[in-house]
Amino acid sequence: MDRTEKHAFVASLASVFADTSLVVVTQPKGLTVAEATDLRRRMRAAGATYKVAKNRLAALALDGTRFEGVKPLLKGPTALAWSKDPVAVAKTVVEFARTNDKFVVLGGALGSQTLDAAGIKALSELPSLETLRAQLVGLIQTPATRIAGVLQAPGGQVARVLAAYAKKDEAEAEAA
């Protein structure tokens, strides 16, 4: 990489860090090409990005962002993962680390708060943004469904009472 490419890379990483909510630092020691490809595919499916970056360039990109707290984690071979949905990237990283011993989650940052590996694991256990939205819509719709049921019940009861009187009148008319 020449100097202009390095400047462009640092600028692009800095702009990414300005738009994202979570950055996870991992250590992919000894991953095969197939395993790395599988991880990247999982990340894309979750709407996340996974990038191996030189620590010095990543540290330069982190300068002035709210994720500066992850700089001490940038030692040895590291890779960064990020997404706008913090739970999605955390779930993907933790799930991959669970199935692959060579892949280690070092920590990360959620906004300006620095998280260790346990914090990333705890974040991964939360429901995703899509699940939370679905639950919220369900909560909003439930009262409306109950209100409609309550409003329909008296009308149904009145209709049953009228039907019973109608049957009673028919029975009396046939008897007479």
Side-chain angles (χ1 to χ4, degrees), residues 28-47:
K29 278 187 180 175
L31 283 183
T32 64
V33 173
E35 291 167 338
T37 303
D38 181 40
L39 175 60
R40 290 177 197 280
R41 190 174 343 102
R42 288 183 189 191
M43 288 289 196
R44 267 192 305 275

Side-chain angles (χ1 to χ4, degrees), residues 57-117:
L57 297 178
L60 287 172
L62 288 167
D63 280 339
T65 68
R66 57 186 176 201
F67 303 112
E68 283 188 83
V70 299
K71 279 185 184 181
L73 300 174
L74 299 174
K75 291 183 176 124
T78 57
L80 303 171
W82 63 84
S83 172
K84 288 188 180 184
D85 181 5
V87 177
V89 70
K91 278 183 191 257
T92 306
V93 167
V94 169
E95 181 182 308
F96 189 80
R98 193 176 298 134
T99 60
N100 194 323
D101 296 337
K102 299 176 230 169
F103 185 77
V104 180
V105 178
L106 298 176
L110 180 61
S112 60
Q113 183 177 4
T114 304
L115 303 171
D116 60 353

Side-chain angles (χ1 to χ4, degrees), residues 118-176:
I120 299 294
K121 186 175 189 285
L123 186 62
S124 74
E125 293 168 355
L126 294 174
S128 70
L129 189 59
E130 293 174 11
T131 305
L132 288 173
R133 285 180 180 157
Q135 289 174 349
L136 182 62
V137 168
L139 287 173
I140 291 170
Q141 287 179 342
T142 299
T145 306
R146 287 186 182 163
I147 289 171
V150 167
L151 291 176
Q152 289 177 353
Q157 289 173 347
V158 169
R160 284 189 286 278
V161 168
L162 291 176
Y165 278 120
K167 286 182 184 177
K168 180 180 171 190
D169 286 343
E170 287 176 12
E172 288 177 0
E174 288 178 8

